[in-house]
Amino acid sequence: MNTMSPFARPLYVFAKPVGARCNLACEYCYYLEKSQLYPQDARQVMSDEMLELFVRTYIESQTMPQVLFTWHGGEPMLRPLDFYKKAMRLQRKYARGRQVDNVIQTNGTLLTDEWCEFLSENGWLVGLSIDGPQPLHDHYRRTATGQPSWERVMRGIRLLQQHGVEWNAMATVNHLNARYPLEFYRFF
């Protein structure tokens, strides 16, 4: 029985520390246009003050002994690694005995050895967006200048594997890759 509340249910919130900002411009992305909702703030990044308020209130709002922080975007790795180190310090400060875990959803193109060491050492789960084999992925998942991203994503996957980071893949099924279900499935 849960000691916090016998009727407890987890509460999940996606934190978007960079709002809609992304280093890719995927053709099907519905989220990039969300940046137009806040024209007064071109950067649209979570301030240090907002980070502390979010971490504290999110932990306090939980009715379960485990707390899961999900960092999402845009591309959340556009925030520097120090931002996430600070988030973890704040999580420890406000945890009050609760287990705190972290997940980050990324396109994988900004992964480096330093990022992967941090993710591995701190037990973060990484959700990595990839839309299948190179021709299917690169058709829609391109940079703002139109360059393909598959090679950079695969480099990120190799880094995650080299550092022993737990990760999973998330794909957007679209009208192109849906026409190749076996190739799509076998890739994963």
Side-chain angles (χ1 to χ4, degrees), residues 78-97:
L78 288 174
R79 287 306 314 249
L81 189 52
D82 285 342
F83 174 85
Y84 296 98
K85 290 177 180 179
K86 181 173 186 167
M88 290 195 68
R89 286 192 301 272
L90 293 167
Q91 290 168 352
R92 287 189 292 274
K93 176 180 176 180
Y94 294 112
R96 289 192 234 133

Side-chain angles (χ1 to χ4, degrees), residues 5 10 26 40 50 70 78 80 107 116 128 132 143 163 165 185 187:
S5 169
C26 302
Q40 70 281 7
M50 180 58 73
T70 303
L78 288 174
N107 61 40
C116 290
L128 194 131
T143 67
H163 290 275
V165 177
Y185 176 78
F187 174 80

